[in-house]
Amino acid sequence: MDRNALLAGGAVGVLIVAAVSAVLVPGVLADPTDDGPVRPGPVDVADVSIAAGPATGETVTLGIETRIDHRRNPTQNVSVLVRAIDAESGLVTTTERVDVGTLTRDGEATATANLTVPREGGYDIEVVLYRDAERVDEARKSIRGVSAIKPPYLQSTTSFTESESLPPVSFSIADAGENRTTLDLTATLVNTGDQPAEDLSVTFVLRQAESNIVASRTTVDAGTIQAGRTESVDATATVPNEYNYYIDVVLLRDGVVIDSARGAANLNPTRTISVNETTEEVELRVEDFEDDRERTPEASDYEPTRTESSAPGFGAVVALVALCATAFVARRWSQ
């Protein structure tokens, strides 16, 4: 047989065997460009931001946005664990895990978690980044004063003024009687919003400074305050003389307290108080704060009387008999 023909037939046979093997056993022929398994690209936490979400009287929802930086090869099974930790106790308040999935493009990806926490105190927000259940990075941020996040029914653009030249509450003497003084009270409100404020009312409460006894309480309708306007609300109160009072004003909308302020009225010329402190104790006569409408002449105007009574006994006759008996016994004893 011709040698060349034999070599050609052998080569054809090898090619046929290789082709059949490649079909029956995939991967038997290695790709010369294959470098083995592809390593996942690096991922880390680029930034964490916190936003205030819906709030109720007891809780607030915090929106935690985590930005994840990814480079090079695709990375599978990426997830983020977010925890809210009470800043005072160190206890975990709530936890949420967010599945990010597979990251294929270079750049940043975003994972958002919503954590509902009590509307009080502060929290440390801990973010942990996982790849295939392996912790690869973490970050931490803090938030304080969560109670300042108000629910919708407490949110208002209207409040008492805070200027020294236009204080939130002021008073003047309307009538000074022998025992009582009538005060004209004024509360000043400002609407800093873009819409009119409606259904407002102001409650004036006068408390005797040292005892905290409520001497007067009255509520006045504040009406509607237009956007950007400053309006005053007036009321009167009659209180006992020679005492100092705190004037508390409370702004309400549909029965909900949305703001408050305090002033002071010094009706005792020898002692003064400020909004934040008192100076010394004074003698307090509780009857000065009794409601005159409840006092009647029968209960308050009367003459003191004296009553005489004797305890049960035997009277003067028995006492005389006892004296004679004692004398008789003494005489017999002396004999």
Side-chain angles (χ1 to χ4, degrees):
M1 180 179 290
D2 186 5
R3 173 188 254 178
N4 291 332
L6 183 62
L7 291 175
V12 172
V14 171
L15 292 174
I16 293 174
V17 172
V20 172
S21 300
V23 172
L24 298 179
V25 186
V28 69
L29 298 178
D31 185 357
T33 63
D34 189 4
D35 294 331
V38 178
R39 298 187 61 182
V43 290
D44 54 56
V45 178
D47 186 34
V48 176
S49 59
I50 305 174
T56 68
E58 296 182 350
T59 64
V60 60
T61 300
L62 303 176
I64 315 299
E65 182 182 81
T66 304
R67 303 192 67 83
I68 305 169
D69 184 45
H70 171 256
R71 292 289 181 270
R72 297 194 291 275
N73 297 331
T75 305
Q76 299 178 346
N77 300 326
V78 178
S79 62
V80 175
L81 179 69
V82 184
R83 292 186 291 201
I85 303 172
D86 189 278
E88 294 185 1
S89 66
L91 299 176
V92 176
T93 303
T94 184
T95 302
E96 183 175 347
R97 194 180 194 101
V98 181
D99 185 15
V100 182
T102 300
L103 300 179
T104 58
R105 296 184 302 175
D106 288 359
E108 291 186 351
T110 302
T112 302
N114 295 317
L115 302 182
T116 299
V117 297
R119 196 173 66 88
E120 59 182 11
Y123 299 90
D124 296 323
I125 306 300
E126 184 179 72
V127 176
V128 183
L129 179 63
Y130 288 89
R131 180 185 61 202
D132 285 331
E134 177 186 359
R135 179 182 296 205
V136 293
D137 197 11
E138 63 182 62
R140 197 180 185 98
K141 269 199 171 182
S142 298
I143 180 173
R144 298 292 184 267
V146 175
S147 59
I149 305 174
K150 297 181 179 180
Y153 64 84
L154 289 179
Q155 295 175 5
S156 176
T157 59
T158 305
S159 61
F160 293 107
T161 57
E162 298 180 355
S163 171
E164 293 184 0
S165 59
L166 197 62
V169 57
S170 57
F171 75 97
S172 60
I173 305 296
D175 180 55
E178 182 179 353
N179 298 316
R180 291 182 175 266
T181 297
T182 300
L183 305 177
D184 284 337
L185 308 173
T186 299
T188 308
L189 302 171
V190 58
N191 181 5
T192 58
D194 298 328
Q195 300 295 328
E198 301 176 342
D199 301 326
L200 300 174
S201 62
V202 177
T203 297
F204 295 82
V205 181
L206 276 75
R207 303 176 186 272
Q208 200 276 330
E210 287 76 20
S211 67
N212 208 35
I213 293 176
V214 175
S216 176
R217 184 196 305 268
T218 183
T219 299
V220 180
D221 185 9
T224 300
I225 301 179
Q226 299 298 323
R229 298 292 183 85
T230 299
E231 302 287 350
S232 61
V233 180
D234 300 322
T236 60
T238 301
V239 294
N241 294 342
E242 299 182 0
Y243 292 99
N244 296 327
Y245 300 91
Y246 289 125
I247 307 175
D248 293 321
V249 286
V250 181
L251 178 62
L252 301 100
R253 182 183 60 200
D254 195 22
V256 177
V257 176
I258 57 178
D259 196 17
S260 62
R262 169 172 282 190
N266 294 301
L267 303 185
N268 186 340
T270 62
R271 300 176 175 86
T272 61
I273 61 170
S274 66
V275 172
N276 298 320
E277 63 179 358
T278 59
T279 55
E280 58 180 297
E281 296 181 357
V282 299
E283 181 182 358
L284 178 68
R285 297 184 299 273
V286 178
E287 60 270 16
D288 290 342
F289 296 91
E290 292 180 353
D291 192 341
D292 291 339
R293 292 172 297 180
E294 298 178 358
R295 300 179 62 184
T296 61
E298 291 79 10
S300 59
D301 300 327
Y302 60 89
E303 291 291 335
T305 59
R306 294 182 58 188
T307 59
E308 295 182 357
S309 62
S310 60
F314 296 100
V317 175
V318 176
L320 181 59
V321 172
L323 181 60
C324 294
T326 301
F328 177 75
V329 171
R331 182 178 180 185
R332 290 289 303 270
W333 179 265
S334 61
Q335 293 176 354

